[in-house]
Amino acid sequence: MADELCFMPAARLAELFRTCQASPVDLVTAMLERIERLNPKLNAYLTVMADQALADARQAESDIHKGEYLGPLHGIPVALKDLYLTNGVRTTGGSKILADWVPHEDATTVSKLKAAGAIIIGKAHMHEFAMGPTNVNPHYGPACNPWNPECVPGGSSGGSGAAVAASMATVAMGSDTGGSIRIPGSLCGIAGHKPTYGLVSRYGVLPLSWSLDHAGPMTKTVEDAALMLNALAGYDLKDPASANRPVPDFRDALTGRVRGLRAGLPRRHFFDGLDPEVAAAVDDAIELLSGLGMSFTEVDFRDVEHVAATTMSISWSEATSYHEPYLDRLDDYGPDVRSRLELGKTMTATDYLRAQRVRRLICEEYASLMEKVDVLVTPTIRIPAPRIDECGEVLGVAGGADVKMVLSALTRPFNVTGAPALTVPCGFTTGGLPIGLQIAGRAFDDEVVLRVGHAYQTATAWHKRLPPV
Amino acid sequence: MADELCFMPAARLAELFRTCQASPVDLVTAMLERIERLNPKLNAYLTVMADQALADARQAESDIHKGEYLGPLHGIPVALKDLYLTNGVRTTGGSKILADWVPHEDATTVSKLKAAGAIIIGKAHMHEFAMGPTNVNPHYGPACNPWNPECVPGGSSGGSGAAVAASMATVAMGSDTGGSIRIPGSLCGIAGHKPTYGLVSRYGVLPLSWSLDHAGPMTKTVEDAALMLNALAGYDLKDPASANRPVPDFRDALTGRVRGLRAGLPRRHFFDGLDPEVAAAVDDAIELLSGLGMSFTEVDFRDVEHVAATTMSISWSEATSYHEPYLDRLDDYGPDVRSRLELGKTMTATDYLRAQRVRRLICEEYASLMEKVDVLVTPTIRIPAPRIDECGEVLGVAGGADVKMVLSALTRPFNVTGAPALTVPCGFTTGGLPIGLQIAGRAFDDEVVLRVGHAYQTATAWHKRLPPV
């Protein structure tokens, strides 16, 4: 029974906890055993908070027994990407620079999760300072994909992805600047939701590039992502980009009804150069959603070809600005991060501002496109998880392009626009690696994105498959 | 009678027009005669729209007679700083680069003023591309101060300031990046209101530095500024920084009651190095407002000493980004603007982003300060209007500082913070030059700023004095 609890989504656990049919202590105990067994193999966690998590589980059990049930996250174990500040617990950012740093406060989202009764079980592996999509980390070793430990889990929230996929956490927090929630979500076969820019506070989340950074949930199901978002969303004065606007109940948005919703298929760019198995799985998903009553039309996301250069100018500049105090310690960074910071130092103010102005045009194009459709449906990534030994700094994949550009090519456009974007598993390669379907929407229309993803999961079972670990 | 109409504020004219006791045709006819007589002396207008204004006045008269009265701006002549785009009318930006440019659409604010029945009477002189506070312009000659034509009107909206002060327009539009509404407002002895950042659209206003630029009214009275703001304020999808929030009735905010309002006096910086006559006039104004029931306490605006460097890094960078298409024509710019663009080219992305991050800290300081008081009261400028021949590129004034830095030292902090700030005349030097009082408030609390300014004007007569032209 206890190990079974590890495989359950939060929504199911919540029912068992609320009705005292199961206890958070049993779950956390079993999960810590799984972590002890699997983490040496997967390297999903940089820090496991075993004692604190067990104490919190006992407290949750006691509170629930006393009738003080806090809601669906009460007693649910959460893995935090190791760039969420945790009061009294080291927060490395996957770096050597911050290897011994212990913050004195929690990120706003961490406070919110704790207030909702969630249990922080550990700090998850990440690409150094979130500056890459592979989680091959020079300081902490690579994290591994639970579906095939010789492959990357994707990044930069790869530890979070691996932990949820391998049932070493029920839910997790990731962050997404160019795809860092959705890439590991897709490669690990779980749900990952990048909320609309401004919906979830980034206060206390180490920045990569603040105008592109998003904080969000990584979960076994879309329903769990909605439950997480209910706890996470809302205005925070401490995040300058936080939106001061009403927040809906995201669980209520999962009506199961998608009939009449209009989906756009941006064939150009988003369907170019796909691995054939990815293409086939996404085609099947589109057919299934059509069967549920959604209409599909081909659309063109104009100027999407400028996204890569735009995001790089912005993120290199902003990252280098953030890292200015450490730039005399360049040798303490891994080679890929170091080279980005060195590039960032060469950017001029006009380079940066030109990129932000191009970005504005891209946002206008996107807003105009989304007047005609409710969501876009695309693959999340063109390829399944690459092997760790293929992910050197610059590696020819799919015609010589850098693997990191390939991994983020379809996710980055929604960082530039700040639009909500969700990945859900939609199939597997013959080699047993997950394939992700991306659903993107209008700004602050996270509800419809989650509704489509949930309807898809209600009609399919891909998200129920467990990795062979 | 007709010339008297020229001297009236919009609120008084509105009563006469609404009740058909006077006609916009009489006003515009008289005003065009004044312009013909005075503009050769003051150079307040770069383009006078005589035929169109007369036609519009006839239309307004006819509409009002038919009972189609549009409200208090119906039939009121407006001068537009020559960076407001006007459909079919050249918009020079005070530059050689755009000397012959005729836009094909109106700025959002121009459309709004027209919809409110206002009459555009001409395009006002400005510092080249708004990049300076003197309106000594190498391409169009200097604009002159109506109180003493050997002095500058202040800038960069100096033509607008001179036009309203000399009754060559009833009201005007300026723009303010470092003080460009309030500096000519103060030096010309009129009201100038820089609204909260985001309250008034800048779409169709040539940018200087978009994260610091504000559009706003310059008027004979604070009441007129409120009437203008009623027409101007509101969300505009076309301005990325426009705030989507409800807009109050600013005229209703002018209750005359200021008893119990808490004013802060930021003595450090804002009261340092004042011309003695400026200091005395501001002290008198503070005493008067105290007598009306406002409480005054000394406060410290921490980090205000970082404002100058911060705004310069931001504005040089953003200006150079905007001017990138023309940077191969540097010789077509005046020497001061050219040197700014050359400096802007040397700024790095990290210079720019560091400035924006310092700015954030300054905004936090300001927000914290404004928890204790409702408004700040300060001089608008440390000195009265300098002579035109003193305003070379870099001139030693007040201990060797550049005159342009002196002119904007007290206004810039409210561009960095985006806070509303108003100037009203509060006295005259023995030489007959106006002195300005600045009232600044919390973001989106323009109402209280205007209320204080209006109460002050109700109790004083400085704003009724007419210049000797």
Side-chain angles (χ1 to χ4, degrees):
Chain A
M1 166 71 178
D3 216 42
E4 271 173 50
L5 294 177
C6 296
F7 303 130
M8 292 179 185
R12 173 76 185 121
L13 288 167
E15 273 311 294
L16 297 178
F17 290 172
R18 186 178 62 81
T19 55
C20 297
Q21 295 177 68
S23 157
V25 176
D26 297 338
L27 169 59
V28 168
T29 305
M31 205 165 257
L32 288 170
E33 283 170 18
R34 278 185 75 80
I35 293 171
E36 200 174 335
R37 180 159 50 86
L38 294 176
N39 205 48
K41 189 172 171 188
L42 299 179
N43 200 17
Y45 284 103
L46 298 180
T47 304
V48 179
M49 293 161 60
D51 295 345
Q52 185 64 49
L54 262 177
D56 290 346
R58 286 190 205 100
Q59 184 70 47
E61 180 183 84
S62 154
D63 288 346
I64 295 170
H65 281 180
K66 279 189 285 182
E68 294 165 2
Y69 183 65
L70 293 173
L73 295 185
H74 203 166
I76 301 297
V78 182
L80 299 174
K81 184 177 185 177
D82 203 20
L83 47 54
Y84 282 82
L85 270 62
T86 40
N87 187 3
V89 178
R90 76 165 185 164
T91 300
T92 68
S95 74
K96 183 174 173 183
I97 299 273
L98 299 181
D100 302 313
W101 182 50
V102 178
H104 296 295
E105 64 177 334
D106 284 332
T108 294
T109 42
V110 174
S111 300
K112 286 184 170 214
L113 289 170
K114 286 181 175 176
I119 294 170
I120 312 303
I121 194 164
K123 306 293 294 287
H125 186 284
M126 57 184 285
H127 203 105
E128 183 178 4
F129 283 122
M131 285 194 222
T134 62
N135 279 43
V136 177
N137 187 305
H139 314 297
Y140 302 93
C144 302
N145 192 311
W147 297 91
N148 179 347
E150 294 184 350
C151 292
V152 300
S156 62
S157 316
S160 300
V164 172
S167 301
M168 298 157 74
T170 303
V171 295
M173 290 299 291
S175 67
D176 191 317
T177 305
S180 283
I181 285 174
R182 291 159 289 157
I183 294 165
S186 178
L187 298 187
C188 293
I190 63 168
H193 183 64
K194 183 192 80 63
T196 300
Y197 188 76
L199 184 63
V200 173
S201 168
R202 291 100 36 94
Y203 180 76
V205 184
L206 295 177
L208 163 51
S209 175
W210 49 82
S211 78
L212 296 163
D213 292 342
H214 301 66
M218 302 173 71
T219 52
K220 289 174 179 291
T221 65
V222 175
E223 184 180 21
D224 279 8
L227 295 177
M228 288 284 277
L229 216 49
N230 277 350
L232 297 168
Y235 180 59
D236 181 13
L237 188 63
K238 292 176 178 169
D239 177 350
S242 183
N244 192 352
R245 46 185 293 153
V247 171
D249 185 316
F250 295 98
R251 179 64 192 79
D252 285 353
L254 311 184
T255 60
R257 291 185 300 274
V258 294
R259 184 163 302 279
L261 282 179
R262 300 163 304 167
L265 295 176
R267 290 280 181 200
R268 193 173 64 82
H269 180 81
F270 289 93
F271 288 76
D272 290 343
L274 301 185
D275 175 285
E277 292 188 295
V278 170
V282 170
D283 282 349
D284 287 350
I286 292 165
E287 198 177 318
L288 187 136
L289 289 170
S290 289
L292 298 178
M294 285 177 68
S295 66
F296 282 82
T297 51
E298 301 211 357
V299 296
D300 187 43
F301 187 156
R302 289 200 295 176
D303 291 337
V304 73
E305 61 272 24
H306 300 305
V307 163
T310 301
T311 52
M312 267 176 284
S313 293
I314 293 170
S315 71
W316 291 340
S317 297
E318 292 181 356
T320 306
S321 174
Y322 176 73
H323 286 276
E324 268 199 309
Y326 311 115
L327 292 182
D328 57 349
R329 294 176 57 185
L330 276 179
D331 289 344
D332 287 342
Y333 292 93
D336 61 334
V337 173
R338 187 164 61 235
S339 79
R340 282 176 184 226
L341 295 176
E342 280 174 338
L343 272 165
K345 283 159 67 178
T346 69
M347 303 291 292
T348 65
T350 48
D351 290 334
Y352 174 77
L353 290 167
R354 193 184 313 113
Q356 288 284 22
R357 293 171 71 190
V358 170
R359 175 187 193 169
R360 173 76 194 161
L361 299 178
I362 295 169
C363 288
E364 285 172 7
E365 280 298 338
Y366 186 72
S368 161
L369 168 61
M370 296 306 285
E371 287 175 5
K372 291 176 242 140
V373 295
D374 301 302
V375 293
L376 298 185
V377 173
T378 79
T380 307
I381 312 179
R382 290 181 173 142
I383 55 173
R387 296 171 53 86
I388 292 169
D389 57 20
E390 291 173 328
C391 290
E393 175 43 14
V394 175
L395 174 88
V397 169
D402 182 346
V403 70
K404 67 191 178 201
M405 295 312 297
V406 172
L407 288 177
S408 62
L410 314 185
T411 49
R412 278 181 188 278
F414 306 105
N415 295 80
V416 165
T417 58
L422 168 71
T423 184
V424 290
C426 70
F428 287 81
T429 65
T430 48
L433 290 172
I435 297 167
L437 181 75
Q438 182 172 238
I439 301 152
R442 297 186 195 99
F444 294 103
D445 202 9
D446 297 66
E447 292 164 278
V448 75
V449 168
L450 294 167
R451 182 180 306 145
V452 172
H454 175 253
Y456 179 78
Q457 293 201 323
T458 304
T460 58
W462 299 116
H463 59 288
K464 295 183 181 164
R465 201 183 277 199
L466 292 173
V469 284
Chain B
M1 168 71 179
D3 215 43
E4 271 172 49
L5 294 176
C6 296
F7 303 130
M8 292 179 185
R12 173 76 185 121
L13 288 167
E15 274 310 293
L16 298 178
F17 290 172
R18 185 178 62 81
T19 55
C20 297
Q21 296 177 67
S23 156
V25 176
D26 297 338
L27 170 61
V28 168
T29 305
M31 204 164 257
L32 288 170
E33 284 170 17
R34 279 186 74 79
I35 292 171
E36 202 174 335
R37 180 158 49 87
L38 295 176
N39 205 47
K41 190 171 169 188
L42 298 178
N43 200 17
Y45 283 103
L46 298 180
T47 304
V48 179
M49 293 161 60
D51 295 344
Q52 184 64 50
L54 262 178
D56 290 346
R58 285 190 206 101
Q59 184 69 48
E61 181 183 84
S62 154
D63 289 345
I64 294 171
H65 282 180
K66 278 190 283 182
E68 294 165 4
Y69 183 64
L70 293 172
L73 296 185
H74 202 166
I76 301 297
V78 182
L80 299 173
K81 183 177 184 176
D82 203 21
L83 48 54
Y84 283 81
L85 270 63
T86 39
N87 187 3
V89 178
R90 75 164 185 164
T91 300
T92 67
S95 73
K96 182 174 173 184
I97 299 274
L98 299 180
D100 302 312
W101 183 50
V102 178
H104 296 295
E105 64 177 332
D106 284 332
T108 294
T109 42
V110 174
S111 300
K112 286 184 169 214
L113 289 170
K114 285 181 175 175
I119 294 169
I120 313 302
I121 193 164
K123 306 292 296 284
H125 186 285
M126 57 184 286
H127 202 106
E128 183 178 3
F129 284 123
M131 285 195 222
T134 63
N135 279 43
V136 177
N137 187 305
H139 313 298
Y140 302 93
C144 302
N145 192 311
W147 298 91
N148 179 347
E150 294 184 349
C151 292
V152 300
S156 63
S157 314
S160 299
V164 171
S167 301
M168 298 157 73
T170 303
V171 294
M173 290 299 291
S175 68
D176 190 317
T177 305
S180 283
I181 285 174
R182 292 160 288 158
I183 294 166
S186 177
L187 298 187
C188 293
I190 62 167
H193 183 62
K194 183 194 79 62
T196 299
Y197 188 75
L199 183 64
V200 173
S201 168
R202 292 99 36 94
Y203 180 76
V205 184
L206 295 177
L208 163 51
S209 174
W210 49 81
S211 77
L212 296 164
D213 291 342
H214 301 67
M218 301 172 71
T219 52
K220 290 175 178 291
T221 64
V222 174
E223 184 181 19
D224 279 8
L227 296 178
M228 287 284 277
L229 216 49
N230 277 350
L232 297 167
Y235 180 59
D236 181 11
L237 189 63
K238 293 176 179 169
D239 177 351
S242 182
N244 192 351
R245 46 184 293 154
V247 171
D249 186 316
F250 295 99
R251 179 63 192 80
D252 285 353
L254 311 184
T255 59
R257 290 185 299 276
V258 294
R259 185 165 301 282
L261 281 179
R262 300 163 305 166
L265 295 175
R267 290 281 180 199
R268 194 174 64 81
H269 181 80
F270 288 93
F271 288 76
D272 290 342
L274 301 185
D275 175 285
E277 291 189 295
V278 170
V282 170
D283 282 350
D284 287 351
I286 291 166
E287 198 177 317
L288 187 137
L289 289 170
S290 288
L292 298 179
M294 284 177 69
S295 65
F296 282 83
T297 50
E298 301 210 357
V299 296
D300 187 44
F301 186 156
R302 289 200 295 175
D303 291 338
V304 72
E305 61 272 25
H306 300 306
V307 163
T310 302
T311 52
M312 267 175 282
S313 293
I314 293 170
S315 72
W316 290 340
S317 298
E318 292 179 357
T320 306
S321 175
Y322 176 73
H323 286 276
E324 267 198 310
Y326 312 114
L327 291 183
D328 57 349
R329 293 176 59 185
L330 276 179
D331 288 345
D332 287 342
Y333 292 93
D336 61 335
V337 172
R338 186 163 62 235
S339 80
R340 282 176 185 227
L341 296 176
E342 281 174 337
L343 271 165
K345 282 159 68 178
T346 70
M347 302 290 292
T348 66
T350 49
D351 290 335
Y352 174 78
L353 290 167
R354 192 185 314 114
Q356 288 284 22
R357 294 171 70 191
V358 170
R359 176 187 193 169
R360 174 76 194 160
L361 298 178
I362 295 169
C363 289
E364 285 173 7
E365 280 297 336
Y366 186 72
S368 160
L369 169 61
M370 296 307 285
E371 288 175 6
K372 290 177 242 139
V373 294
D374 301 302
V375 293
L376 297 185
V377 173
T378 78
T380 307
I381 313 179
R382 291 181 173 142
I383 55 173
R387 296 171 53 85
I388 291 168
D389 56 22
E390 291 174 327
C391 290
E393 175 43 13
V394 175
L395 175 88
V397 169
D402 182 346
V403 70
K404 68 191 177 201
M405 295 312 298
V406 172
L407 288 177
S408 61
L410 313 185
T411 49
R412 280 181 187 277
F414 307 105
N415 295 80
V416 165
T417 58
L422 168 71
T423 184
V424 291
C426 71
F428 287 83
T429 65
T430 48
L433 291 171
I435 296 167
L437 181 75
Q438 182 171 238
I439 301 153
R442 297 186 195 99
F444 294 103
D445 202 9
D446 298 66
E447 291 165 278
V448 75
V449 167
L450 294 167
R451 181 180 307 145
V452 172
H454 175 254
Y456 178 78
Q457 293 201 322
T458 303
T460 58
W462 300 116
H463 59 289
K464 294 182 181 165
R465 201 183 277 201
L466 292 173
V469 282

